[in-house]
Amino acid sequence: MPTELAVLGAGNMAEAIVRGILAADTIPAARIVACDVSARRREFFERTLGVRAVESPAEASAGASRILLSVKPHQVREVLAAAAGSIGPDCLVVSICAGISAARIERLLHPIPRPRVVRTMPNTPLLVGEGAVAIAAGTHAGAQDMAAARALFAGSALVVEVPESQLDAVTALSGSGPAYFFLLVEHMIRAGVEMGLAPETARDLAVRTAAGAARMLEKTGESPQELRRKVTTPNGTTHAAVSTFERLGLPAAVGEALRAAAERSRQLGEELSA
């Protein structure tokens, strides 16, 4: 049976993507092959996901119509060199490797003529089926290739298309974004404990509040500014907290933090491409 998807690198993110594919019945397990140097990860994919797993990138890639490139950025050159002889000229390569440009992957796929590459930036909530993924076309990827890449993530994430030049901004906003969210919740819990709440109570309340607020943003369609206005009574408790955030410079800090993340993403891309 022909391979529809070869997964080069069977880590946690690749696992989440494959789980989404299987849950959405996008590709049957029998037509997916995973590759990883770790025997433990290969065994996991076979036993838990029902996906054949091999150690050789060349074996996994042979005859595949799509490849999910999901290794560590510093492993891309080695893995593609090992797989290149088995990758067909019509194969679509979808990369989730941070900092590795589509152009660099295209060069590493030489001598394949006009290699079709789609670069993506997923985030970790994909692991629980609530991800956000931006996809960007490489030099030779067309509309059908973008649709094929989108289908790999649709079962576990919101997917948006952007120019590759915007992926550094995407990295800063949604790629790294969960950590900002976790940081805020971490400090909300700490403050709750300092004010006398039991740690488990503070955690339960903070997590549920954060999850509920995110769901309100998603379900109501209202702007965050409008939702914040509705809960902020003049001179009330929320007003006291929000005013303190503003006085301490939270709006400026958020903007500076995202710009720093975007700049570091750009620098990493240059370093990895050097």
Side-chain angles (χ1 to χ4, degrees):
M1 183 176 292
T3 299
E4 281 197 45
L5 180 66
V7 180
L8 303 186
N12 290 334
M13 193 67 80
E15 175 193 336
I17 294 166
V18 171
R19 284 185 183 276
I21 289 169
L22 297 177
D25 201 24
T26 307
I27 303 172
R31 301 188 71 174
I32 300 174
V33 178
C35 166
D36 203 275
V37 294
S38 167
R40 181 182 62 82
R41 290 303 293 173
R42 294 198 303 272
E43 181 181 5
F44 177 87
F45 265 64
E46 290 191 332
R47 289 194 175 184
T48 306
L49 303 181
V51 169
R52 185 168 74 91
V54 299
E55 185 174 1
S56 164
E59 183 180 353
S61 302
S65 58
R66 279 177 282 183
I67 287 175
L68 179 67
L69 185 61
S70 52
V71 294
K72 301 291 187 187
H74 69 274
Q75 298 172 319
V76 168
R77 181 186 298 274
E78 177 185 355
V79 168
L80 287 183
S86 300
I87 299 175
D90 295 324
C91 182
L92 171 65
V93 177
V94 179
S95 171
I96 68 169
C97 302
I100 306 295
S101 69
R104 185 183 182 203
I105 295 170
E106 290 164 359
R107 290 194 298 272
L108 292 173
L109 290 169
H110 180 80
I112 296 173
R114 298 178 61 82
R116 291 149 49 223
V117 175
V118 174
R119 184 180 165 197
T120 76
M121 172 51 62
N123 65 7
T124 54
L126 188 144
L127 297 169
V128 293
E130 296 288 346
V133 182
I135 64 175
T139 308
H140 309 294
Q144 288 187 332
D145 299 316
M146 293 294 278
R150 177 185 287 271
L152 296 181
F153 302 100
S156 52
L158 166 74
V159 185
V160 300
E161 295 185 20
V162 299
E164 187 175 7
S165 61
Q166 294 181 1
L167 282 182
D168 291 331
V170 169
T171 299
L173 180 63
S174 61
S176 299
Y180 319 150
F181 179 82
F182 300 146
L183 179 65
L184 176 60
V185 173
E186 173 190 344
H187 286 292
M188 287 173 65
I189 293 169
R190 179 177 298 170
V193 171
E194 289 173 353
M195 290 186 292
L197 293 175
E200 62 274 14
T201 300
R203 185 187 190 283
D204 289 347
L205 290 172
V207 170
R208 185 67 175 187
T209 298
R215 186 61 59 88
M216 285 182 70
L217 277 168
E218 182 179 49
K219 295 297 185 183
T220 66
E222 295 186 78
S223 70
Q225 295 90 336
E226 179 61 17
L227 289 173
R228 175 164 60 86
R229 186 193 65 79
K230 287 182 176 181
V231 77
T232 306
T233 304
N235 297 317
T237 58
T238 307
H239 182 266
V242 170
S243 296
T244 302
F245 280 138
E246 292 175 342
R247 176 173 56 80
L248 293 176
L250 179 65
V254 171
E256 284 298 305
L258 266 69
R259 283 187 285 273
E263 175 60 18
R264 185 54 183 151
S265 175
R266 185 191 64 77
Q267 291 172 354
L268 286 172
E270 291 178 351
E271 293 168 8
L272 290 166
S273 297

